[in-house]
Coordinates of all heavy atoms in Angstrom, one line a residue:
T290 N -13.7 -12.9 -10.2 CA -13.8 -14.0 -9.2 C -13.3 -13.5 -7.8 O -12.5 -12.6 -7.7 CB -13.0 -15.2 -9.6 OG1 -11.6 -14.8 -9.6 CG2 -13.4 -15.7 -11.0
V291 N -13.8 -14.2 -6.8 CA -13.3 -13.8 -5.5 C -11.9 -14.0 -5.3 O -11.2 -13.3 -4.6 CB -14.1 -14.7 -4.4 CG1 -13.5 -14.5 -3.0 CG2 -15.6 -14.3 -4.4
H292 N -11.4 -15.0 -6.0 CA -9.9 -15.4 -6.0 C -9.1 -14.1 -6.2 O -8.0 -14.0 -5.6 CB -9.7 -16.4 -7.0 CG -8.3 -17.0 -7.1 ND1 -7.9 -17.9 -6.2 CD2 -7.3 -16.7 -7.8 CE1 -6.6 -18.2 -6.5 NE2 -6.2 -17.5 -7.5
S293 N -9.5 -13.3 -7.1 CA -8.6 -12.2 -7.6 C -8.6 -11.0 -6.6 O -7.8 -10.1 -6.8 CB -9.0 -11.7 -8.9 OG -10.4 -11.3 -8.9
V294 N -9.3 -11.1 -5.5 CA -9.2 -10.0 -4.5 C -8.0 -10.3 -3.6 O -7.5 -9.3 -3.1 CB -10.5 -10.0 -3.6 CG1 -10.4 -9.1 -2.5 CG2 -11.7 -9.7 -4.5
Y295 N -7.6 -11.5 -3.5 CA -6.5 -11.8 -2.6 C -5.2 -11.0 -2.9 O -4.5 -10.6 -1.9 CB -6.2 -13.3 -2.5 CG -7.3 -14.0 -1.7 CD1 -8.1 -14.9 -2.3 CD2 -7.5 -13.6 -0.4 CE1 -9.2 -15.5 -1.6 CE2 -8.5 -14.2 0.4 CZ -9.3 -15.2 -0.2 OH -10.3 -15.7 0.5
P296 N -4.7 -10.9 -4.2 CA -3.5 -10.2 -4.4 C -3.5 -8.8 -3.8 O -2.5 -8.3 -3.2 CB -3.4 -10.1 -5.9 CG -4.1 -11.3 -6.4 CD -5.3 -11.4 -5.4
L297 N -4.6 -8.1 -3.9 CA -4.7 -6.7 -3.3 C -4.6 -6.8 -1.8 O -3.9 -6.0 -1.1 CB -6.0 -6.1 -3.7 CG -6.2 -4.7 -3.0 CD1 -5.3 -3.7 -3.6 CD2 -7.7 -4.2 -3.2
A298 N -5.4 -7.7 -1.2 CA -5.3 -7.9 0.3 C -3.9 -8.2 0.8 O -3.5 -7.6 1.8 CB -6.3 -8.9 0.7
L299 N -3.3 -9.1 0.1 CA -1.9 -9.4 0.5 C -1.0 -8.3 0.3 O -0.1 -8.0 1.1 CB -1.4 -10.6 -0.3 CG -2.2 -11.9 -0.1 CD1 -1.7 -13.0 -1.0 CD2 -2.0 -12.4 1.4
W300 N -1.2 -7.5 -0.8 CA -0.3 -6.4 -1.1 C -0.4 -5.3 0.0 O 0.5 -4.8 0.4 CB -0.8 -5.8 -2.5 CG 0.0 -4.7 -3.0 CD1 1.1 -4.8 -3.8 CD2 -0.3 -3.3 -3.0 NE1 1.5 -3.6 -4.2 CE2 0.7 -2.7 -3.7 CE3 -1.3 -2.6 -2.3 CZ2 0.7 -1.3 -3.8 CZ3 -1.3 -1.2 -2.5 CH2 -0.3 -0.6 -3.2
L301 N -1.7 -5.1 0.4 CA -1.9 -4.1 1.5 C -1.3 -4.6 2.8 O -0.7 -3.9 3.5 CB -3.4 -3.8 1.6 CG -4.1 -3.0 0.5 CD1 -5.6 -3.0 0.7 CD2 -3.5 -1.6 0.4
R302 N -1.6 -5.9 3.1 CA -1.1 -6.4 4.4 C 0.4 -6.4 4.4 O 1.0 -6.1 5.5 CB -1.7 -7.8 4.6 CG -1.7 -8.2 6.0 CD -2.3 -9.5 6.3 NE -1.6 -10.6 5.6 CZ -1.9 -11.9 5.7 NH1 -3.0 -12.2 6.4 NH2 -1.2 -12.8 5.1
A303 N 1.1 -6.7 3.3 CA 2.5 -6.7 3.3 C 3.0 -5.3 3.6 O 4.0 -5.2 4.4 CB 3.0 -7.2 2.0
A304 N 2.4 -4.3 3.1 CA 2.9 -2.9 3.3 C 2.7 -2.6 4.8 O 3.7 -2.0 5.4 CB 2.0 -1.9 2.5
F305 N 1.6 -2.9 5.4 CA 1.4 -2.5 6.8 C 2.2 -3.3 7.8 O 2.8 -2.8 8.7 CB -0.1 -2.6 7.2 CG -0.9 -1.6 6.4 CD1 -2.0 -2.0 5.6 CD2 -0.5 -0.2 6.4 CE1 -2.7 -1.1 4.9 CE2 -1.3 0.7 5.6 CZ -2.4 0.3 4.9
T306 N 2.3 -4.6 7.6 CA 3.1 -5.4 8.5 C 4.5 -5.1 8.4 O 5.2 -5.0 9.4 CB 2.8 -6.9 8.3 OG1 3.0 -7.3 7.0 CG2 1.4 -7.3 8.7
T307 N 5.0 -5.0 7.2 CA 6.5 -4.7 7.0 C 6.8 -3.3 7.6 O 7.8 -3.2 8.2 CB 6.9 -4.8 5.6 OG1 6.4 -6.0 5.0 CG2 8.4 -4.8 5.4
T308 N 6.0 -2.4 7.3 CA 6.2 -1.0 7.8 C 6.2 -1.0 9.4 O 7.1 -0.4 10.0 CB 5.2 0.0 7.3 OG1 5.2 -0.1 5.9 CG2 5.5 1.4 7.7
A309 N 5.3 -1.7 9.9 CA 5.3 -1.8 11.4 C 6.6 -2.4 11.9 O 7.1 -2.0 13.0 CB 4.1 -2.6 11.9
M310 N 7.1 -3.3 11.2 CA 8.4 -4.0 11.7 C 9.6 -3.1 11.5 O 10.6 -3.3 12.2 CB 8.6 -5.3 10.8 CG 7.8 -6.5 11.3 SD 8.3 -8.0 10.4 CE 8.8 -7.4 8.8
V311 N 9.5 -2.2 10.6 CA 10.7 -1.3 10.3 C 10.4 0.1 10.7 O 10.8 1.1 10.0 CB 11.2 -1.4 8.9 CG1 11.6 -2.8 8.6 CG2 10.1 -1.0 7.9
D312 N 9.7 0.3 11.8 CA 9.3 1.7 12.2 C 10.4 2.4 12.9 O 10.3 2.6 14.1 CB 8.0 1.6 13.1 CG 7.4 3.0 13.3 OD1 7.6 3.9 12.4 OD2 6.7 3.2 14.3
Y313 N 11.5 2.6 12.2 CA 12.6 3.3 12.8 C 12.5 4.8 12.9 O 11.8 5.4 12.1 CB 13.9 2.9 12.0 CG 14.2 1.5 11.9 CD1 14.4 0.9 10.6 CD2 14.2 0.7 13.0 CE1 14.6 -0.4 10.5 CE2 14.5 -0.7 12.8 CZ 14.7 -1.2 11.6 OH 14.9 -2.6 11.4
P314 N 13.2 5.4 13.9 CA 13.1 6.8 14.1 C 14.0 7.6 13.0 O 14.0 8.8 13.0 CB 13.7 7.1 15.5 CG 14.6 5.9 15.7 CD 14.0 4.8 15.0
T315 N 14.6 6.9 12.1 CA 15.4 7.5 11.1 C 15.0 7.0 9.7 O 14.5 5.8 9.7 CB 16.9 7.3 11.3 OG1 17.1 5.8 11.4 CG2 17.4 7.9 12.6
P316 N 15.2 7.7 8.7 CA 14.9 7.2 7.3 C 15.7 5.9 7.1 O 16.8 5.8 7.6 CB 15.4 8.3 6.4 CG 15.4 9.5 7.2 CD 15.8 9.1 8.6
A317 N 15.1 5.0 6.5 CA 15.7 3.7 6.3 C 15.5 3.1 4.9 O 14.5 3.5 4.2 CB 15.1 2.7 7.3
N318 N 16.4 2.3 4.5 CA 16.1 1.6 3.2 C 16.5 0.1 3.5 O 17.0 -0.6 2.6 CB 16.9 2.1 2.0 CG 18.4 2.1 2.2 OD1 18.9 1.7 3.3 ND2 19.1 2.6 1.3
F319 N 16.2 -0.3 4.7 CA 16.4 -1.7 5.1 C 15.6 -2.7 4.2 O 16.1 -3.6 3.6 CB 16.1 -1.9 6.5 CG 16.2 -3.3 7.0 CD1 17.3 -4.1 6.9 CD2 15.1 -3.8 7.7 CE1 17.3 -5.4 7.3 CE2 15.1 -5.1 8.1 CZ 16.2 -5.9 8.0
M320 N 14.3 -2.4 4.1 CA 13.4 -3.2 3.3 C 13.0 -2.4 2.0 O 13.1 -2.9 0.9 CB 12.1 -3.6 4.1 CG 12.3 -4.3 5.3 SD 12.8 -6.1 5.0 CE 11.1 -6.7 4.7
M321 N 12.6 -1.2 2.3 CA 12.2 -0.3 1.2 C 12.6 1.1 1.7 O 12.9 1.3 2.9 CB 10.6 -0.3 1.1 CG 10.0 -1.6 0.8 SD 10.3 -2.1 -0.9 CE 8.7 -1.8 -1.7
N322 N 12.7 2.0 0.8 CA 13.0 3.4 1.2 C 11.8 3.9 2.0 O 10.7 3.9 1.4 CB 13.3 4.3 0.0 CG 14.7 4.1 -0.5 OD1 15.7 4.3 0.2 ND2 14.8 3.6 -1.8
L323 N 12.1 4.4 3.2 CA 11.0 4.9 4.0 C 11.4 6.1 4.8 O 12.6 6.2 5.1 CB 10.5 3.8 5.0 CG 9.7 2.6 4.4 CD1 9.6 1.5 5.5 CD2 8.4 3.1 4.0
P324 N 10.5 7.0 5.1 CA 10.9 8.1 6.0 C 11.0 7.7 7.4 O 10.7 6.5 7.8 CB 9.6 9.0 5.8 CG 8.5 8.1 5.6 CD 9.1 7.0 4.8
A325 N 11.5 8.6 8.3 CA 11.6 8.3 9.7 C 10.1 8.1 10.2 O 9.2 8.7 9.7 CB 12.2 9.4 10.5
Y326 N 9.9 7.2 11.2 CA 8.6 6.9 11.7 C 7.6 6.7 10.6 O 6.6 7.4 10.6 CB 8.2 8.0 12.7 CG 9.0 8.2 13.9 CD1 9.8 9.4 14.0 CD2 9.1 7.3 14.9 CE1 10.7 9.6 15.1 CE2 9.9 7.4 16.0 CZ 10.7 8.6 16.1 OH 11.5 8.8 17.2
P327 N 7.8 5.7 9.8 CA 6.8 5.5 8.7 C 5.4 5.2 9.1 O 4.5 5.6 8.4 CB 7.4 4.3 7.9 CG 8.3 3.6 8.9 CD 8.9 4.7 9.8
V328 N 5.2 4.6 10.3 CA 3.9 4.3 10.7 C 3.1 5.6 11.0 O 2.0 5.8 10.6 CB 3.9 3.4 12.0 CG1 2.5 3.3 12.6 CG2 4.4 2.0 11.7
K329 N 3.8 6.6 11.6 CA 3.2 7.9 11.9 C 2.9 8.6 10.5 O 1.9 9.2 10.4 CB 4.2 8.8 12.7 CG 3.6 9.8 13.6 CD 4.5 10.7 14.2 CE 5.3 10.2 15.4 NZ 6.3 11.2 15.9
E330 N 3.8 8.4 9.6 CA 3.5 9.0 8.3 C 2.3 8.4 7.6 O 1.5 9.1 7.0 CB 4.7 8.8 7.3 CG 6.0 9.6 7.7 CD 5.7 11.1 7.8 OE1 5.0 11.7 6.9 OE2 6.1 11.8 8.8
M331 N 2.2 7.1 7.8 CA 1.0 6.4 7.2 C -0.3 6.9 7.9 O -1.3 7.1 7.2 CB 1.1 4.9 7.4 CG 2.0 4.2 6.3 SD 1.8 2.4 6.5 CE 2.7 1.9 5.0
C332 N -0.2 7.1 9.2 CA -1.4 7.6 9.9 C -1.7 9.0 9.4 O -2.9 9.4 9.3 CB -1.1 7.6 11.4 SG -1.0 6.0 12.1
K333 N -0.7 9.8 9.2 CA -0.9 11.2 8.7 C -1.7 11.1 7.3 O -2.6 11.9 7.1 CB 0.4 11.9 8.5 CG 0.8 12.7 9.7 CD 2.0 13.7 9.3 CE 3.2 13.5 10.2 NZ 4.4 14.1 9.7
I334 N -1.2 10.2 6.5 CA -1.9 10.1 5.2 C -3.4 9.7 5.4 O -4.3 10.3 4.8 CB -1.2 9.0 4.3 CG1 0.2 9.5 3.9 CG2 -2.0 8.6 3.1 CD1 1.1 8.4 3.3
I335 N -3.6 8.8 6.3 CA -5.0 8.3 6.5 C -5.8 9.4 7.1 O -6.9 9.6 6.7 CB -5.0 7.0 7.4 CG1 -4.4 5.9 6.5 CG2 -6.4 6.7 7.9 CD1 -4.1 4.6 7.3
D336 N -5.2 10.2 8.0 CA -5.9 11.3 8.7 C -6.2 12.4 7.7 O -7.1 13.3 8.0 CB -5.2 11.8 9.9 CG -5.2 10.8 11.0 OD1 -6.0 9.9 11.0 OD2 -4.4 10.9 12.0
S337 N -5.4 12.5 6.6 CA -5.6 13.6 5.7 C -6.8 13.5 4.8 O -7.2 14.4 4.1 CB -4.3 13.8 4.9 OG -4.2 12.8 3.9
F338 N -7.4 12.3 4.8 CA -8.6 12.1 4.0 C -9.8 12.7 4.8 O -9.9 12.7 6.0 CB -8.9 10.6 3.8 CG -8.1 10.0 2.7 CD1 -6.8 9.5 2.9 CD2 -8.6 9.9 1.4 CE1 -6.1 9.0 1.8 CE2 -7.9 9.4 0.4 CZ -6.6 8.9 0.6
P339 N -10.8 13.1 4.0 CA -12.0 13.7 4.6 C -12.7 12.6 5.4 O -12.6 11.4 5.0 CB -12.8 14.2 3.5 CG -12.3 13.6 2.2 CD -10.9 13.2 2.5
V340 N -13.5 12.9 6.4 CA -14.3 12.0 7.1 C -15.2 11.2 6.1 O -15.8 11.8 5.2 CB -15.2 12.7 8.2 CG1 -16.1 11.7 8.9 CG2 -14.3 13.4 9.2
G341 N -15.3 9.9 6.3 CA -16.1 9.1 5.4 C -15.5 8.7 4.1 O -16.2 8.1 3.3
A342 N -14.2 9.0 3.9 CA -13.5 8.6 2.7 C -13.5 7.1 2.6 O -13.5 6.4 3.7 CB -12.1 9.2 2.7
D343 N -13.4 6.6 1.4 CA -13.4 5.2 1.2 C -12.2 4.5 1.9 O -11.0 4.9 1.8 CB -13.3 4.9 -0.3 CG -13.5 3.4 -0.6 OD1 -14.6 3.0 -0.7 OD2 -12.4 2.7 -0.7
V344 N -12.5 3.5 2.7 CA -11.4 2.9 3.5 C -10.4 2.2 2.6 O -9.2 2.2 3.0 CB -12.1 1.9 4.6 CG1 -12.2 0.5 4.1 CG2 -11.4 2.0 5.9
V345 N -10.8 1.6 1.5 CA -9.9 1.0 0.6 C -8.9 2.0 0.0 O -7.7 1.8 -0.1 CB -10.6 0.2 -0.5 CG1 -9.6 -0.4 -1.5 CG2 -11.4 -0.9 0.2
E346 N -9.5 3.1 -0.3 CA -8.7 4.2 -0.9 C -7.6 4.7 0.1 O -6.5 5.0 -0.2 CB -9.6 5.3 -1.4 CG -8.9 6.3 -2.4 CD -9.8 7.4 -2.7 OE1 -11.0 7.3 -2.8 OE2 -9.3 8.6 -2.8
K347 N -8.1 4.8 1.3 CA -7.1 5.3 2.4 C -6.0 4.3 2.6 O -4.8 4.6 2.7 CB -7.9 5.4 3.7 CG -8.8 6.7 3.8 CD -9.2 7.0 5.2 CE -10.5 6.3 5.6 NZ -11.1 6.9 6.7
A348 N -6.4 3.0 2.6 CA -5.4 1.9 2.8 C -4.4 1.9 1.6 O -3.2 1.7 1.8 CB -6.1 0.6 3.0
F349 N -5.0 2.1 0.4 CA -4.2 2.0 -0.8 C -3.2 3.2 -0.8 O -2.0 3.0 -1.1 CB -5.1 2.1 -2.0 CG -4.4 2.0 -3.3 CD1 -4.1 0.7 -3.8 CD2 -4.0 3.1 -4.0 CE1 -3.4 0.6 -5.0 CE2 -3.3 3.0 -5.2 CZ -3.0 1.7 -5.7
T350 N -3.6 4.4 -0.4 CA -2.7 5.5 -0.4 C -1.6 5.4 0.7 O -0.5 5.7 0.4 CB -3.5 6.8 -0.2 OG1 -4.6 6.8 -1.1 CG2 -2.7 8.0 -0.4
A351 N -2.0 4.9 1.8 CA -1.0 4.7 2.9 C 0.0 3.6 2.5 O 1.2 3.7 2.7 CB -1.7 4.2 4.2
A352 N -0.5 2.6 1.8 CA 0.4 1.5 1.3 C 1.4 2.0 0.3 O 2.5 1.6 0.1 CB -0.4 0.3 0.8
S353 N 0.9 3.1 -0.5 CA 1.8 3.6 -1.5 C 3.0 4.3 -0.9 O 4.0 4.4 -1.5 CB 1.0 4.7 -2.3 OG -0.1 4.1 -3.0
L354 N 2.9 4.7 0.4 CA 4.1 5.3 1.1 C 5.2 4.2 1.1 O 6.3 4.5 0.9 CB 3.7 5.7 2.5 CG 4.9 6.2 3.3 CD1 5.2 7.7 3.1 CD2 4.7 6.0 4.8
Y355 N 4.7 3.0 1.4 CA 5.7 1.9 1.5 C 6.2 1.5 0.1 O 7.4 1.4 -0.1 CB 5.0 0.7 2.2 CG 5.8 -0.5 2.1 CD1 6.9 -0.7 3.0 CD2 5.4 -1.6 1.3 CE1 7.6 -1.9 3.0 CE2 6.1 -2.8 1.3 CZ 7.2 -2.9 2.1 OH 7.9 -4.1 2.1
Y356 N 5.3 1.4 -0.8 CA 5.8 0.9 -2.2 C 6.4 2.0 -3.0 O 7.0 1.7 -4.0 CB 4.6 0.2 -2.9 CG 4.2 -1.1 -2.3 CD1 3.0 -1.2 -1.6 CD2 5.0 -2.2 -2.5 CE1 2.6 -2.5 -1.1 CE2 4.6 -3.4 -2.0 CZ 3.5 -3.6 -1.3 OH 3.1 -4.8 -0.8
N357 N 6.1 3.2 -2.7 CA 6.4 4.3 -3.7 C 6.9 5.5 -3.0 O 6.6 6.6 -3.4 CB 5.2 4.6 -4.5 CG 5.5 5.5 -5.7 OD1 6.7 5.5 -6.2 ND2 4.5 6.2 -6.3
Y358 N 7.7 5.4 -1.9 CA 8.1 6.5 -1.2 C 9.1 7.4 -2.0 O 9.1 8.6 -1.9 CB 8.8 6.1 0.2 CG 9.3 7.3 0.9 CD1 8.4 8.3 1.3 CD2 10.7 7.5 1.3 CE1 8.9 9.4 2.0 CE2 11.1 8.5 2.0 CZ 10.2 9.5 2.3 OH 10.7 10.6 3.0
T359 N 9.9 6.7 -2.8 CA 10.8 7.4 -3.7 C 10.1 8.1 -4.9 O 10.7 8.9 -5.5 CB 11.9 6.4 -4.2 OG1 11.2 5.3 -4.8 CG2 12.8 5.9 -3.1
G360 N 8.9 7.7 -5.1 CA 8.1 8.3 -6.1 C 8.5 7.9 -7.5 O 8.1 8.5 -8.5
D361 N 9.2 6.8 -7.7 CA 9.7 6.4 -9.0 C 9.0 5.2 -9.5 O 9.4 4.6 -10.5 CB 11.2 6.2 -9.0 CG 11.7 5.2 -8.0 OD1 10.8 4.5 -7.4 OD2 12.9 5.0 -7.9
Q362 N 7.9 4.8 -8.9 CA 7.2 3.6 -9.4 C 6.2 4.0 -10.4 O 5.3 4.8 -10.2 CB 6.5 2.9 -8.2 CG 7.4 2.4 -7.1 CD 8.3 1.3 -7.7 OE1 7.9 0.3 -8.3 NE2 9.6 1.5 -7.5
K363 N 6.4 3.5 -11.6 CA 5.4 3.8 -12.7 C 4.1 3.1 -12.5 O 3.0 3.7 -12.7 CB 6.0 3.4 -14.1 CG 7.3 4.3 -14.4 CD 7.1 5.0 -15.7 CE 8.3 5.9 -16.1 NZ 9.3 6.0 -15.1
C364 N 4.2 1.9 -12.1 CA 3.0 1.2 -11.8 C 3.3 0.1 -10.8 O 4.5 -0.4 -10.8 CB 2.3 0.6 -13.0 SG 3.2 -0.6 -13.8
F365 N 2.4 -0.2 -10.0 CA 2.6 -1.3 -9.0 C 2.5 -2.6 -9.7 O 1.6 -2.8 -10.5 CB 1.7 -1.2 -7.8 CG 1.9 0.1 -7.1 CD1 0.8 1.0 -6.8 CD2 3.1 0.5 -6.6 CE1 0.9 2.2 -6.1 CE2 3.3 1.7 -5.9 CZ 2.2 2.5 -5.7
E366 N 3.3 -3.6 -9.3 CA 3.3 -4.9 -10.0 C 2.0 -5.6 -9.8 O 1.6 -6.3 -10.7 CB 4.4 -5.7 -9.4 CG 5.4 -6.2 -10.5 CD 6.7 -6.6 -10.0 OE1 6.7 -7.7 -9.4 OE2 7.7 -5.9 -10.1
M367 N 1.3 -5.3 -8.7 CA 0.0 -5.9 -8.4 C -0.9 -5.7 -9.6 O -1.8 -6.4 -9.9 CB -0.5 -5.3 -7.2 CG -1.9 -5.6 -6.8 SD -2.4 -4.5 -5.4 CE -2.8 -3.0 -6.3
E368 N -0.7 -4.5 -10.3 CA -1.6 -4.1 -11.3 C -1.2 -4.6 -12.7 O -1.9 -4.3 -13.7 CB -1.7 -2.6 -11.4 CG -2.2 -1.9 -10.1 CD -2.2 -0.4 -10.2 OE1 -1.1 0.1 -10.4 OE2 -3.3 0.2 -10.1
G369 N -0.1 -5.3 -12.8 CA 0.4 -5.7 -14.0 C -0.6 -6.5 -14.8 O -1.2 -7.5 -14.3
G370 N -0.8 -6.2 -16.1 CA -1.7 -6.9 -16.9 C -1.3 -8.4 -17.2 O -2.2 -9.2 -17.4
D371 N 0.0 -8.6 -17.0 CA 0.5 -10.0 -17.2 C 0.4 -10.8 -16.0 O 0.7 -12.0 -16.0 CB 1.9 -10.0 -17.7 CG 2.0 -9.2 -19.0 OD1 1.0 -9.2 -19.8 OD2 3.1 -8.7 -19.3
D372 N 0.0 -10.2 -14.9 CA -0.1 -10.9 -13.6 C -1.1 -12.0 -13.8 O -2.3 -11.7 -14.0 CB -0.5 -9.9 -12.5 CG -0.5 -10.6 -11.1 OD1 -0.6 -11.8 -11.1 OD2 -0.5 -9.9 -10.1
P373 N -0.7 -13.3 -13.6 CA -1.7 -14.4 -13.7 C -2.9 -14.3 -12.7 O -4.0 -14.8 -13.0 CB -0.9 -15.6 -13.5 CG 0.3 -15.2 -12.7 CD 0.6 -13.8 -13.2
H374 N -2.7 -13.5 -11.6 CA -3.8 -13.4 -10.7 C -4.7 -12.3 -11.1 O -5.8 -12.3 -10.6 CB -3.2 -13.1 -9.3 CG -2.3 -14.2 -8.8 ND1 -2.7 -15.4 -8.5 CD2 -1.0 -14.1 -8.5 CE1 -1.7 -16.1 -8.1 NE2 -0.6 -15.4 -8.1
G375 N -4.2 -11.4 -11.9 CA -5.1 -10.3 -12.4 C -5.5 -9.4 -11.2 O -5.1 -9.6 -10.1
L376 N -6.1 -8.3 -11.6 CA -6.6 -7.4 -10.6 C -8.1 -7.1 -10.8 O -8.7 -6.1 -10.4 CB -5.8 -6.1 -10.6 CG -6.0 -5.2 -9.4 CD1 -5.3 -5.8 -8.2 CD2 -5.5 -3.8 -9.7
S377 N -8.8 -8.1 -11.4 CA -10.2 -7.9 -11.7 C -11.0 -7.7 -10.5 O -12.1 -7.2 -10.5 CB -10.7 -9.0 -12.6 OG -10.2 -10.2 -12.1
G378 N -10.5 -8.2 -9.3 CA -11.3 -8.1 -8.1 C -11.3 -6.7 -7.6 O -12.1 -6.3 -6.8
W379 N -10.4 -5.9 -8.0 CA -10.3 -4.5 -7.5 C -11.5 -3.7 -7.9 O -12.2 -3.1 -7.0 CB -9.0 -3.8 -8.1 CG -8.8 -2.4 -7.8 CD1 -8.8 -1.4 -8.7 CD2 -8.6 -1.8 -6.5 NE1 -8.6 -0.2 -8.1 CE2 -8.5 -0.4 -6.7 CE3 -8.6 -2.3 -5.2 CZ2 -8.3 0.5 -5.7 CZ3 -8.4 -1.4 -4.2 CH2 -8.2 0.0 -4.4
G380 N -11.9 -3.7 -9.2 CA -13.0 -3.0 -9.6 C -14.3 -3.5 -8.9 O -15.2 -2.8 -8.5
W381 N -14.3 -4.8 -8.8 CA -15.5 -5.5 -8.2 C -15.6 -5.0 -6.7 O -16.7 -4.7 -6.3 CB -15.3 -7.0 -8.3 CG -16.3 -7.8 -7.5 CD1 -17.5 -8.1 -7.9 CD2 -16.1 -8.3 -6.2 NE1 -18.1 -8.8 -6.9 CE2 -17.3 -8.9 -5.8 CE3 -15.0 -8.2 -5.2 CZ2 -17.5 -9.5 -4.6 CZ3 -15.2 -8.8 -4.0 CH2 -16.4 -9.5 -3.7
Q382 N -14.5 -4.9 -6.1 CA -14.5 -4.6 -4.6 C -14.9 -3.1 -4.5 O -15.6 -2.8 -3.5 CB -13.1 -4.8 -4.0 CG -13.1 -4.8 -2.5 CD -11.7 -5.1 -2.0 OE1 -10.7 -4.5 -2.4 NE2 -11.6 -6.0 -1.0
V383 N -14.4 -2.2 -5.3 CA -14.7 -0.8 -5.2 C -16.2 -0.6 -5.4 O -16.8 0.2 -4.8 CB -13.9 0.0 -6.2 CG1 -14.4 1.4 -6.3 CG2 -12.4 0.0 -5.8
K384 N -16.8 -1.3 -6.4 CA -18.2 -1.1 -6.7 C -19.2 -1.7 -5.7 O -20.3 -1.2 -5.6 CB -18.5 -1.7 -8.1 CG -18.2 -0.7 -9.3 CD -18.4 -1.4 -10.6 CE -17.1 -1.7 -11.3 NZ -17.1 -2.8 -12.2
S385 N -18.8 -2.7 -5.0 CA -19.7 -3.4 -4.1 C -19.8 -2.7 -2.8 O -19.0 -1.9 -2.4 CB -19.4 -4.8 -4.0 OG -18.1 -5.0 -3.5
Ligands
NAG571 C1 4.7 7.1 -7.4 O1 4.8 8.4 -7.0 C2 5.0 9.3 -8.1 C3 5.3 10.7 -7.5 O2 4.3 11.1 -6.6 C4 3.7 9.3 -8.9 O3 3.9 10.2 -10.0 C5 3.5 7.9 -9.4 O4 2.3 7.9 -10.1 C6 3.4 7.0 -8.2 N1 3.3 5.6 -8.7 C7 2.2 4.9 -8.6 C8 2.2 3.5 -9.1 O5 1.2 5.3 -8.0

């Protein structure tokens, strides 16, 4: 259902808006563990994709910097099978 696309959109938006708010010149763990200048780091991630790469994939990978900078996340909660919102919109969005 269209409804299930929202968790992903909110998940991505939270990563970008929060990172923009905490774009400090030094590593920080005020909100999440982040490198210095996290916005620049996110741009580097996005720029490292080949031209024409999927925009959702780019956004997802950049958002992973925010959610998984420490690299210890086994899975993102958004993807949890028990999540009442589900993530069935993800596959739908990728395919369309
Ligand atoms: C988080 O980062 C680690 C290290 O790169 C990786 O092995 C793991 O799969 C990542 N977690 C998610 C949910 O992508």
Side-chain angles (χ1 to χ4, degrees):
T290 62
V291 171
H292 185 82
S293 57
V294 173
Y295 286 116
L297 175 70
L299 293 175
W300 186 86
L301 290 173
R302 200 176 62 179
F305 295 126
T306 53
T307 310
T308 302
M310 279 186 329
V311 296
D312 193 26
Y313 301 128
T315 53
N318 59 1
F319 172 58
M320 301 285 280
M321 300 288 256
N322 282 299
L323 286 170
Y326 297 111
V328 171
K329 210 190 277 177
E330 291 302 316
M331 280 188 170
C332 292
K333 270 194 232 164
I334 290 170
I335 289 169
D336 288 345
S337 71
F338 277 86
V340 176
D343 188 86
V344 94
V345 174
E346 199 185 320
K347 286 195 272 197
F349 184 85
T350 307
S353 297
L354 175 85
Y355 171 72
Y356 287 109
N357 193 22
Y358 179 59
T359 50
D361 60 2
Q362 297 299 305
K363 293 240 178 354
C364 64
F365 298 127
E366 238 161 74
M367 172 191 80
E368 297 177 301
D371 298 333
D372 183 343
H374 301 295
L376 195 70
S377 43
W379 174 244
W381 171 82
Q382 193 178 47
V383 167
K384 271 177 254 154
S385 56

